[in-house]
Amino acid sequence: MLLSHVILAVLGGVALVVAALRAVAHLHVSENEEGAWVVDRLAAGLLVVMLVLLAFRSLSFGVDTAAYAEMFHAYCHGDALRDMDGGFRLSALLLNGAMLGACDVRMLCAAWAVIVTMGILLATGAAQDKSRFTALLLVSMVGIELTTNALRQGFSVGLAIAAVSHWPTRRVAAVAFGAGAVALHASAALVFVGLAAATLPWARFLAVLGAACAVVAISLKFEPTFVADVVPLQRLLYYVEKYQGLEGDEIWVRVLSFSSTLLTMVAALLAMPTQQLRLQLLKDERFLSAVRLAATCLPFLVIPYFGYRYVYGVFPIVLWRVLAPANESRAVGARAFAWVLLSNAVVLLGWSLGSHYMRSVPFFE
């Protein structure tokens, strides 16, 4: 069964469940609470369904899954993985911990999905809000990639969300989660820099964004080793050097993943029932920081492979910050969930139908 078949089945199930829940809610729930009641149950059910699907997917699905399985097999047979990046070693420990020490490659997919979810559950906020967020993340192109292809970054993203959520009130916890996210995948450090820039006023932010565009442009034009001597951004330049020589045959992954990010913000605006609420959202600093954070993707989209890896780190934070103001009203939050789910599902379905890889490798054997 291909991913496109799975997504179509899930969307068909969502339509049926929504119809059933609305019928029940109409009889037992007040009109004002009906939408939120339906969405809370739909999100919880969708989250469970996606976790089950991801747990039993094929190990052949996901470009890098076979390599991760081989790495974990070596770890389980006594290889200390000393020659590998620290993030891989930490990931192997987390996978084995999620399996309660079973160290069985057959459980890798299930443990992978559980760890990503558990990282998000460490975030602050109401349980139903985290349930909505996680369900929306998993039913998105980026979410599928983080749970089937980008193992270390998937684990890192869960902790990054926890760090972002704790920052306003618990700085020590936020720093600890952020350090864990960076230890798992170095790109998280750059995402945090982008998020810090996104909190600046527009004038300062645009100056920083312009400087980032200039750095990337110079790096692509000249030898990265030369630029590293004059610009203190060696980590960024390392990625530019690593990927700029590769063919950009994954450009549609960059385009579609960034499109998901943009559509998430548009969907949140469309979910506002009145013009006044739309204007209020456009003035909300959480939404504005999400817009600015999304804009930081622009200079990196010209870099093959690394461009979409950066978007993978940005998208979940944009989604989190966009949903936060919407969820302050249960009714508006329910509308936002529906609009964002629809927009992400459209991109995910388009990707699964249009990608040659997705049309040739089964999600289930």
Side-chain angles (χ1 to χ4, degrees), residues 56-196:
F56 291 98
R57 70 176 175 88
S58 170
L59 278 173
S60 65
F61 183 87
V63 176
D64 294 328
T65 297
Y68 294 134
E70 183 178 347
M71 172 207 73
F72 191 62
H73 181 269
Y75 168 82
C76 291
H77 285 76
D79 190 332
L81 306 181
R82 292 190 182 89
D83 59 337
M84 302 192 75
D85 183 278
F88 285 107
R89 297 196 294 271
L90 182 54
S91 295
L93 288 171
L94 289 173
L95 286 168
N96 194 31
M99 299 175 191
L100 302 179
C103 218
D104 189 336
V105 174
R106 292 172 298 181
M107 301 172 65
L108 183 145
C109 295
W112 184 339
V114 166
I115 293 170
V116 173
T117 305
M118 290 301 295
I120 296 170
L121 291 180
L122 293 172
T124 59
Q128 64 265 26
D129 291 346
K130 287 186 281 189
S131 176
R132 291 180 184 184
F133 168 81
T134 310
L136 289 172
L137 178 62
L138 294 182
V139 188
S140 70
M141 176 185 174
V142 174
I144 293 295
E145 279 282 88
L146 291 174
T147 51
T148 64
N149 189 31
L151 181 140
R152 291 182 301 142
Q153 193 172 15
F155 296 171
S156 174
V157 159
L159 292 178
I161 291 299
V164 169
S165 73
H166 282 278
W167 180 255
T169 56
R170 300 182 180 89
R171 296 291 171 89
V172 174
V175 170
F177 288 131
V182 173
L184 283 162
H185 203 271
S187 67
L190 189 57
V191 172
F192 286 140
V193 171
L195 181 58

Side-chain angles (χ1 to χ4, degrees), residues 13-344:
V14 165
L16 292 175
V17 169
V18 167
L21 288 174
R22 287 186 68 87
V24 174
H26 186 69
L27 296 175
H28 302 286
V29 181
S30 67
E31 185 176 352
N32 291 337
E33 288 292 318
E34 186 174 319
W37 187 90
V38 169
V39 163
D40 285 343
R41 283 147 186 80
L42 174 64
L46 188 56
L47 173 57
V48 171
V49 168
M50 290 304 299
L51 285 175
V52 171
L53 293 175
L54 290 166
F56 291 98
R57 70 176 175 88
S58 170
L59 278 173
S60 65
F61 183 87
V63 176
D64 294 328
T65 297
Y68 294 134
E70 183 178 347
M71 172 207 73
F72 191 62
H73 181 269
Y75 168 82
C76 291
H77 285 76
D79 190 332
L81 306 181
R82 292 190 182 89
D83 59 337
M84 302 192 75
D85 183 278
F88 285 107
R89 297 196 294 271
L90 182 54
S91 295
L93 288 171
L94 289 173
L95 286 168
N96 194 31
M99 299 175 191
L100 302 179
C103 218
D104 189 336
V105 174
R106 292 172 298 181
M107 301 172 65
L108 183 145
C109 295
W112 184 339
V114 166
I115 293 170
V116 173
T117 305
M118 290 301 295
I120 296 170
L121 291 180
L122 293 172
T124 59
Q128 64 265 26
D129 291 346
K130 287 186 281 189
S131 176
R132 291 180 184 184
F133 168 81
T134 310
L136 289 172
L137 178 62
L138 294 182
V139 188
S140 70
M141 176 185 174
V142 174
I144 293 295
E145 279 282 88
L146 291 174
T147 51
T148 64
N149 189 31
L151 181 140
R152 291 182 301 142
Q153 193 172 15
F155 296 171
S156 174
V157 159
L159 292 178
I161 291 299
V164 169
S165 73
H166 282 278
W167 180 255
T169 56
R170 300 182 180 89
R171 296 291 171 89
V172 174
V175 170
F177 288 131
V182 173
L184 283 162
H185 203 271
S187 67
L190 189 57
V191 172
F192 286 140
V193 171
L195 181 58
T199 62
L200 297 173
W202 275 107
R204 293 181 183 179
F205 169 76
L206 291 175
V208 171
L209 183 62
C213 291
V215 169
V216 172
I218 294 172
S219 302
L220 292 172
K221 186 174 182 179
F222 298 104
E223 287 292 330
T225 52
F226 166 75
V227 181
D229 293 332
V230 295
V231 180
L233 295 174
Q234 287 85 354
R235 192 66 181 175
L236 168 60
L237 297 175
Y238 161 76
Y239 283 112
V240 173
E241 184 176 22
K242 178 179 179 181
Y243 292 115
Q244 70 175 327
L246 300 176
E247 294 294 329
D249 57 352
E250 40 53 76
I251 185 171
W252 285 110
V253 179
R254 281 178 272 163
V255 170
L256 289 174
S257 59
F258 186 58
S259 297
S260 291
T261 308
L262 296 179
L263 286 173
T264 292
M265 296 182 292
V266 172
L269 282 171
L270 292 175
M272 297 298 110
T274 66
Q275 184 68 17
Q276 181 181 358
L277 287 175
R278 289 192 188 96
L279 293 174
Q280 184 177 323
L281 181 62
L282 286 170
K283 295 177 182 178
D284 192 290
E285 186 53 39
R286 290 164 295 184
F287 184 83
L288 290 175
S289 67
V291 172
R292 290 190 285 262
L293 179 59
T296 65
C297 297
L298 294 174
F300 304 118
L301 290 177
V302 300
I303 306 174
Y305 297 91
F306 178 69
Y308 68 73
R309 287 289 191 170
Y310 182 74
V311 178
Y312 288 177
V314 164
F315 172 81
I317 297 177
V318 168
L319 177 61
W320 180 269
R321 295 184 81 82
V322 163
L323 290 178
N327 285 335
E328 289 178 352
S329 164
R330 283 176 55 78
V332 173
R335 287 172 58 91
F337 178 91
W339 278 96
V340 174
L341 177 62
L342 178 61
S343 66
N344 281 331

